[in-house]
């Protein structure tokens, strides 16, 4: 992402941030920081606009948002240019990571929302069934604060905002300070599609602005970012009993079984650990390969990694998006080398002025090394030999993170058996990372990787309060349990217990 520094300011001037390119460090932008008062004003406008937006039928809101697909398709070159200026991503990755899934999310959610958010009747069981009817309505929460990261700045801003708006909320977006214009595009295309200005707004700034948004009079926080910041947000939300969704860091494991297609597994290991320069929460960060096939797998991975092109221009891999990330990646590689790992490809920052790190393959890694335990977020394929699949499962579960994982095997049933034993948010067979692009999948982390889901039915409905409404079928003057109590009341309850629950056949019918 862009390199960010505070701009010198005279006394009384508004704080500003300057952005330099990660490709060659030339100045690309300057952003005015939104103050706490600015954030509060944006939230107040969103609060005022929310009832009218929520009053529109879901199908009407969906139709407006669906038209954003046409805007996105028409403006894609401008969006890509902004993303590439701030991150240095290759054209292919800007299209594949940002544009294609954004179009798909818009199409999917706008198609599903009228059905998934429609009030519906919920069947009842047991003794209440003859006398009551249950309906569930989905009420908007109000104003949602959305805070998004720098590694997928457009798509990771658009996806939660679209879900929040479809559910009848208004939204205030705070994109990362180092990819501010990329995130801002999500709001621009929605406005152009017809979403009213105050229904979705953007505020800019760093952690100070994000903290102001969390502290404002909002009704939910949706955050994607680091574990440390996520913990602070969770604590702030807990003080107010404010719901939050947190999609945090990952240290995703890839298991290579003895029967894997090694050509595919090697190609996947390189690509899935290095695309987007390894800066994907679901990147492959740990590879466990069964010892019987490890030599050949390492040979194939090393060959493919050595062929990855990087640097400015038309290459496979762009720069690290953030200057501070360079120090973390280099530190992890150096720590692994010092503790006995072998760096067989790459292993160092590339020469030049940009934030480029060589595609790197680390072998003979182990869990004494930071590269296997801490989130690296760089173009590193770190490989550890294991005795068998059982050891691979144990090592994969030996992590503070639990976002996603992958299993490479020709046996789909085996993949499911192994996946069922992994303590992670999701598992992919013979692939990885793509799970975020499957909106039907309830995507979310375990352990330090977060709370809640950012995709799946739970995610969309998570922007609502499911309101149960219990309707009386026959409207008698009063219920049998109401005052005054009598012997008849007790006999009626005893009959329910004895015959309704004491009789196995009736108990089954009432379940």
């Amino acid at each position: 992402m862009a390199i960010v520094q505070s701009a010198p300011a005279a006394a009384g001037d508004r704080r500003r941030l300057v952005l330099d390119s990660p490709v060659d460090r030339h100045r690309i932008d300057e952003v005015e920081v939104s103050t706490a008062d600015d954030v509060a004003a944006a939230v107040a406008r969103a609060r005022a606009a929310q009832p009218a937006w929520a009053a529109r039928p879901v199908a009407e809101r969906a139709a407006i948002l669906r038209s954003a697909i046409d805007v996105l398709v028409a403006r894609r070159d401008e969006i890509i240019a902004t993303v590439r200026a701030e991150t240095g991503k290759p054209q292919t990755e800007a299209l594949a990571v940002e544009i294609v899934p954004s179009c798909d999310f818009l199409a999917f959610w706008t198609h599903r929302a009228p059905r998934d958010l429609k009030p519906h009747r919920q069947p009842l069981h047991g003794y209440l069934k003859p006398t009551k009817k249950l309906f569930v309505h989905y009420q908007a929460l109000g104003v949602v604060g959305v805070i998004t990261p720098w590694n997928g700045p457009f798509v990771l801003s658009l996806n939660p905002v679209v879900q929040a708006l479809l559910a009848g909320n208004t939204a205030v977006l705070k994109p990362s300070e180092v990819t501010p214009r990329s995130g801002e595009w999500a709001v621009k295309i929605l406005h152009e599609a017809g979403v009213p200005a105050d229904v979705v707004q953007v505020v800019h700034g760093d952690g100070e602005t994000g903290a102001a948004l969390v502290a404002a009079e909002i009704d939910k926080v949706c955050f994607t970012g680091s574990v440390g910041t996520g913990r602070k947000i969770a604590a702030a939300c807990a003080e107010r009993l404010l719901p939050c969704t947190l999609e945090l860091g990952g240290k995703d494991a890839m298991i290579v079984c003895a029967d894997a297609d090694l050509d595919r597994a090697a190609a996947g290991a390189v690509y899935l650990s290095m695309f987007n320069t390894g800066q994907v929460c679901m990147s492959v960060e740990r590879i466990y390969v069964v010892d019987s096939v490890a030599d050949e797998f390492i040979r194939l991975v090393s060959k493919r990694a050595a062929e990855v092109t990087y640097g400015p221009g038309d290459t496979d891999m762009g720069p690290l998006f953030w200057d501070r990330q360079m120090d973390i990646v280099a530190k992890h590689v150096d720590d692994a080398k010092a503790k006995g790992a072998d760096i067989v490809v790459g292993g160092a920052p590339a020469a030049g002025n940009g934030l480029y790190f060589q595609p790197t393959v680390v072998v003979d890694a182990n869990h004494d090394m930071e590269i296997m335990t801490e989130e690296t977020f760089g173009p590193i394929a770190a490989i550890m030999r294991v005795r068998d699949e059982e050891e691979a499962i144990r090592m994969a579960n030996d992590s503070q993170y639990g976002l996603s994982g992958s299993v490479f095997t020709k046996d789909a049933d085996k993949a499911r058996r192994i996946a069922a034993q992994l303590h992670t948010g999701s598992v992919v067979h013979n692939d990885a990372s793509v799970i975020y692009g499957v909106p039907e999948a309830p995507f979310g982390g375990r352990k330090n990787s977060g709370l809640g889901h950012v995709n799946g039915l739970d995610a969309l409905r998570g922007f609502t309060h499911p309101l149960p409404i219990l309707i009386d079928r026959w409207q008698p003057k009063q219920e049998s349990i109401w005052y005054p109590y009598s012997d008849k009341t007790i006999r009626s309850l005893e009959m329910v217990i004895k015959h309704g629950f004491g009789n196995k056949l009736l108990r089954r019918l009432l379940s």
Side-chain angles (χ1 to χ4, degrees), residues 118-124 131-138 465-473:
K118 182 180 180 180
H120 63 88
R121 183 173 172 180
Q122 184 70 33
L124 288 172
T131 61
K132 307 290 182 182
K133 293 185 289 187
L134 176 63
F135 295 86
V136 180
H137 289 232
Y138 295 95
H465 169 69
L467 177 70
I469 302 174
L470 197 61
I471 300 295
D472 192 2
R473 279 180 180 271

Side-chain angles (χ1 to χ4, degrees), residues 49-58 60-61 168:
Q50 192 271 330
W53 178 250
R56 301 190 189 205
V58 179
E60 183 181 333
R61 297 196 297 264

Side-chain angles (χ1 to χ4, degrees), residues 34-99:
S34 300
T35 65
D37 287 342
D38 295 332
V39 172
V43 170
R45 292 191 297 270
R47 176 75 61 200
Q50 192 271 330
W53 178 250
R56 301 190 189 205
V58 179
E60 183 181 333
R61 297 196 297 264
I64 294 170
L65 291 167
R66 191 177 302 117
S67 66
I69 301 173
D70 294 327
V71 180
L72 174 50
V73 171
R75 305 291 293 273
R76 68 185 183 279
D77 289 343
E78 298 167 83
I79 298 169
I80 289 169
T82 302
V83 169
R84 296 192 71 194
E86 292 185 334
T87 67
K89 291 187 187 193
Q91 177 90 356
T92 300
E93 288 182 356
L95 286 165
V97 174
E98 306 283 359
I99 304 301

Side-chain angles (χ1 to χ4, degrees), residues 31 144 149 162 317 380 421:
V31 178
V144 177
V162 165
M317 198 177 78
I380 313 297
Q421 299 176 68

Side-chain angles (χ1 to χ4, degrees), residues 385-407:
R385 298 170 183 261
V386 292
R387 181 177 60 257
D388 51 27
E389 290 150 10
E390 286 69 28
E391 185 180 11
I393 293 167
R394 287 196 302 274
M395 300 312 294
N397 286 336
D398 180 26
S399 176
Q400 62 179 307
Y401 298 98
L403 190 58
S404 192
S406 57
V407 181

Side-chain angles (χ1 to χ4, degrees), residues 226-239:
S226 71
V227 176
T229 302
R231 287 184 182 279
K232 293 176 183 177
I233 290 173
C237 289
E239 286 288 328

